[in-house]
Amino acid sequence: MSLLVKGGTVVGPTGTQVADVLVEGEKIVAVLDPAFSQTITVDEVIDAAGKYVIPGGIDAHTHMELPFGGTAASDTFDTGTRAAAWGGTTTIIDFAVQRTGEVVQDGLAAWHAKADGNCHIDYAFHMILGGVDDDSLKAMDQLVSDEGVTSFKLFMAYPGVFYSDDGQILRAMQTARENGAMIMMHAENGIAIDVLVQQALARGETDPIYHGITRPAALEAEATNRAIALAEVAQDCPLYIVHLSASQALEHVAAARDAGRNVFAETCPQYLYLTLEDQLGAPGFEGAKWVCSTPLRSKHESHARDLWKGLRSNDLAIVSTDHCPFCMKDQKELGLGDFSKIPNGIGGVEHRVDLIYQGVVDGQLSLERWVETIATTPARMFGLYPQKGIVAPGSDADLVVYDPNATTRISVETHHMNMDYSAYEGVEIQGGVGTVISRGEVIVADGNYHGRKGRGKFLERGLSSYLM
Ligand SMILES: [Zn+2]
């Protein structure tokens, strides 16, 4: 099967060019000046004139089916990867979980069992370490060398659930420094946050907005700074701060990067577009829709503006979604009358490519930086490059034909995620995903879905290409 994506503007991290993309089987075999492809015969031609041709999106932070707070994220690997495909994402990196006291490899096996045969697009795993001890440190080496899992997430938040203390974090960082893995950090001071939560509840402050008020930016900044210091002590262990939302945390990341440290960070669309007051502070219980951690920040401060600037300057390397959807009915409702019982998470895996493209329209990012933050850098950061993340000969034919003349209106009525609301209800994007190709197969075209569950493959990842 051969395919020619014809006449589009191919966008990569280093520039744009009008070119034809020739696909044979699952791979891109050439990116051609249109004058040279006139004589080529192919099985199928996709007209991309007037449109952008970009590498398929890579969402490096998703939580399909994650058990949390007495329930589980409402998208399965089936529904979540299908929704991702609709939105132009052709690879996800999800988080396998080692619960405290559990063998790391058993946790990984459990996540393979959930995903295997159910994914519509390619997928890989990071590993959450819920208990750092001698056995799990040994397991880190084994996952890096044999399992294609080269990044490990630790939590400075959620005491009693995923929390690691500073000694555990340091030991995991020292191990990562040896085996080349990336340490990913949920950087919030969970011990202090739990005190603020108990004090708020004791005062009768139970509405969803108190979720944000009890997780102040200062405690994200403090934890970010502490993680950076611990990584320095671990001989500059590579560190990746997940879902960074506060300006003060970004300042610590920027300072570390200016000092030449192996410190990276991502943010998420919710922190670029949504706020503590307008969403989390919605009347009654509605704010529960936007309970996530780190929380949405105040619109009266400069967070969103600073995050866009961080994306431009590469102090923020990646936009991921932290996709962790819960329905209002029966799930978010667990926290009626007590915000601390609202499951933490927002669904957005379907909308990331669009929402960050809107940043291009709004003059926040260049086209090149759009592609870099949603596809190329995630591939390079997490050992998938150049198989993924670039439109180039030899790479997997994961392509999105993106139409800058389309309009996309985000709504629960039209989205494909398994959620009974949209966190971005009514938001209009001045652009839209047209055709989506995954390893040479057209899975979305003309508003129709042609993919299928089980076609997505597990990807064994190498080490980050940013590190020596
Ligand atoms: Zn997460």
Side-chain angles (χ1 to χ4, degrees):
M1 177 77 188
S2 59
L3 197 76
L4 191 68
V5 182
K6 205 170 166 44
T9 299
V10 176
V11 185
T14 57
T16 63
Q17 62 176 133
V18 174
D20 294 351
V21 181
L22 181 62
V23 173
E24 282 281 350
E26 299 192 343
K27 298 283 183 186
I28 296 166
V29 292
V31 180
L32 294 158
D33 186 312
F36 289 92
S37 52
Q38 300 294 350
T39 55
I40 295 174
T41 11
V42 290
D43 298 319
E44 191 181 347
V45 173
I46 293 169
D47 180 12
K51 298 173 183 159
Y52 298 121
V53 179
I54 65 170
I58 300 173
D59 194 336
H61 191 154
T62 69
H63 296 285
M64 306 303 172
E65 308 181 30
L66 177 76
F68 190 99
T71 182
S74 57
D75 265 320
T76 61
F77 279 92
D78 176 7
T79 63
T81 58
R82 184 172 179 275
W86 272 106
T89 287
T90 53
T91 302
I92 60 164
I93 313 179
D94 203 89
F95 287 85
V97 178
Q98 175 220 11
R99 288 179 196 79
T100 313
E102 185 179 55
V103 174
V104 172
Q105 284 89 345
D106 292 350
L108 179 60
W111 255 258
H112 273 298
K114 289 175 203 256
D116 187 27
N118 288 319
C119 291
H120 294 246
I121 55 171
D122 292 349
Y123 63 101
F125 291 132
H126 311 286
M127 190 83 216
I128 286 174
L129 295 180
V132 175
D133 57 20
D134 291 343
D135 289 338
S136 52
L137 293 172
K138 257 188 233 126
M140 286 174 72
D141 290 340
Q142 197 263 327
L143 264 56
V144 170
S145 60
D146 304 338
E147 304 289 348
V149 175
T150 57
S151 41
F152 298 87
K153 185 178 179 189
L154 301 171
F155 289 78
M156 303 169 101
Y158 305 129
V161 188
F162 293 131
Y163 177 81
S164 290
D165 66 31
D166 291 350
Q168 291 175 307
I169 290 168
L170 180 61
R171 293 185 75 198
M173 285 176 164
Q174 288 168 333
T175 303
R177 176 72 280 188
E178 289 297 313
N179 65 27
M182 181 77 75
I183 292 293
M184 306 173 78
M185 191 64 73
H186 180 132
E188 285 187 296
N189 185 327
I191 302 285
I193 285 168
D194 273 12
V195 171
L196 296 179
V197 168
Q198 291 317 315
Q199 290 171 344
L201 291 173
R203 285 192 296 266
E205 297 167 349
T206 59
D207 286 347
I209 195 169
Y210 292 102
H211 170 80
I213 291 170
T214 56
R215 308 182 87 91
L219 292 182
E220 184 189 349
E222 183 278 327
T224 301
N225 188 43
R226 183 157 36 101
I228 290 169
L230 290 166
E232 181 179 358
V233 172
Q235 311 296 322
D236 199 20
C237 159
L239 172 66
Y240 178 96
I241 305 292
V242 295
H243 50 56
L244 189 148
S245 71
S247 303
Q248 298 91 321
L250 179 58
E251 282 172 25
H252 288 300
V253 169
R257 292 181 57 74
D258 289 348
R261 297 277 313 284
N262 290 325
V263 174
F264 310 95
E266 67 176 16
T267 191
C268 311
Q270 52 267 35
Y271 308 119
L272 297 167
Y273 288 105
L274 310 175
T275 67
L276 177 82
E277 293 83 5
D278 292 338
Q279 278 79 32
L280 199 53
F285 190 64
E286 209 199 337
K289 292 175 177 174
W290 297 280
V291 165
C292 59
S293 298
T294 56
L296 303 184
R297 298 298 178 190
S298 173
K299 67 177 177 183
H300 303 302
E301 296 161 4
S302 63
H303 305 287
R305 189 192 74 199
D306 293 343
L307 295 178
W308 282 115
K309 181 169 161 245
L311 286 170
R312 285 194 294 278
S313 66
N314 202 34
D315 285 330
L316 292 169
I318 288 175
V319 181
S320 305
T321 57
D322 193 9
H323 178 77
C324 193
F326 297 98
C327 291
M328 282 296 269
K329 188 172 160 33
D330 298 337
Q331 296 199 297
K332 292 285 187 180
E333 282 175 358
L334 292 168
L336 268 168
D338 179 351
F339 71 85
S340 74
K341 297 204 161 55
I342 301 169
N344 283 207
I346 284 184
V349 75
E350 187 170 349
H351 304 310
R352 183 185 60 122
V353 172
D354 279 327
L355 286 165
I356 305 310
Y357 178 73
Q358 187 61 36
V360 177
V361 175
D362 295 341
Q364 296 284 6
L365 294 183
S366 65
L367 278 172
E368 289 85 351
R369 196 65 190 140
W370 169 50
V371 165
E372 202 167 23
T373 55
I374 62 164
T376 313
T377 301
R380 298 193 70 197
M381 187 70 70
F382 295 112
L384 291 170
Y385 190 88
Q387 183 186 354
K388 305 289 190 188
I390 190 85
V391 181
S395 295
D396 282 357
D398 293 354
L399 298 165
V400 175
V401 179
Y402 196 86
D403 185 356
N405 296 311
T407 303
T408 305
R409 188 173 180 282
I410 299 176
S411 173
V412 66
E413 305 296 331
T414 47
H415 77 198
H416 303 86
M417 299 177 289
N418 185 31
M419 292 174 72
D420 61 4
Y421 73 96
S422 171
Y424 301 95
E425 186 65 42
V427 169
E428 273 202 358
I429 308 295
Q430 292 160 269
V433 171
T435 305
V436 180
I437 300 167
S438 165
R439 272 186 287 102
E441 191 177 341
V442 174
I443 58 173
V444 178
D446 305 318
N448 294 309
Y449 191 71
H450 305 287
R452 67 196 175 281
K453 154 178 153 167
R455 62 169 301 288
K457 287 185 186 162
F458 175 70
L459 301 166
E460 290 196 14
R461 294 184 294 116
L463 300 180
S464 173
S465 28
Y466 290 110
L467 302 164
M468 302 300 287

